[in-house]
Amino acid sequence: QVHLVESGGGSVQAGGSLRLSCAYSRATSSNGCMGWFRQAPGKEREGVATIYSGDDTQFYADSVKGRFTISQDNAKNTVYLQMNSLKPEDTAMYYCAADWEFCRGGLCCSQLGDEYNYWGQGTQVTVSS
């Protein structure tokens, strides 16, 4: 059984930083995808960043490029999202997602969207102006 647990959310002022963590348990050592998604009130969930564990290939939404960085520590089964220069429009519930069954490369991870197999419960990020 797979569990994903996010942490690190909170409230910050615009221009501030937060680092989200996603600790996961899994039953396979296969390479796969980890992703961060977010959903703001009244909006659809959107992909923020993805990473493929096999080669660290990363993809970012245009809205966060240059400000957010996704990384992983395979030894700790943890994926991170470093968020800098936060803006009020980054306010959302942030979700961690994982899939070890479908993709064998980073581009595929970026295209999975809602097809990720496993999801965390989310952590709230609020950015005030």
Side-chain angles (χ1 to χ4, degrees):
Q1 195 169 5
V2 177
H3 296 282
L4 285 74
V5 180
E6 303 98 332
S7 62
S11 298
V12 295
Q13 290 191 328
S17 298
L18 284 173
R19 188 175 82 154
L20 306 183
S21 298
C22 173
Y24 57 88
S25 62
R26 56 172 177 157
T28 176
S29 60
S30 299
N31 289 318
C33 306
M34 298 296 299
W36 285 98
F37 294 76
R38 67 186 181 186
Q39 187 168 21
K43 295 187 177 181
E44 292 188 355
R45 186 164 60 191
E46 63 172 345
V48 175
T50 63
I51 188 167
Y52 179 61
S53 64
D55 59 11
D56 277 357
T57 301
Q58 302 161 31
F59 283 87
Y60 297 91
D62 288 343
S63 58
V64 306
K65 281 180 181 176
R67 299 188 298 122
F68 291 11
T69 303
I70 188 171
S71 61
Q72 59 187 346
D73 186 334
N74 290 332
K76 294 183 178 180
N77 281 2
T78 302
V79 63
Y80 305 96
L81 186 68
Q82 178 67 43
M83 305 186 295
N84 298 327
S85 302
L86 282 161
K87 304 176 181 180
E89 51 263 43
D90 294 318
T91 295
M93 184 70 78
Y94 283 71
Y95 298 92
C96 175
D99 189 284
W100 292 283
E101 299 168 14
F102 188 76
C103 291
R104 292 298 175 261
L107 179 60
C108 178
C109 296
S110 72
Q111 297 172 336
L112 271 183
D114 288 344
E115 298 303 314
Y116 274 76
N117 273 334
Y118 306 104
W119 294 84
Q121 293 301 306
T123 185
Q124 178 68 38
V125 171
T126 302
V127 185
S128 58
S129 58

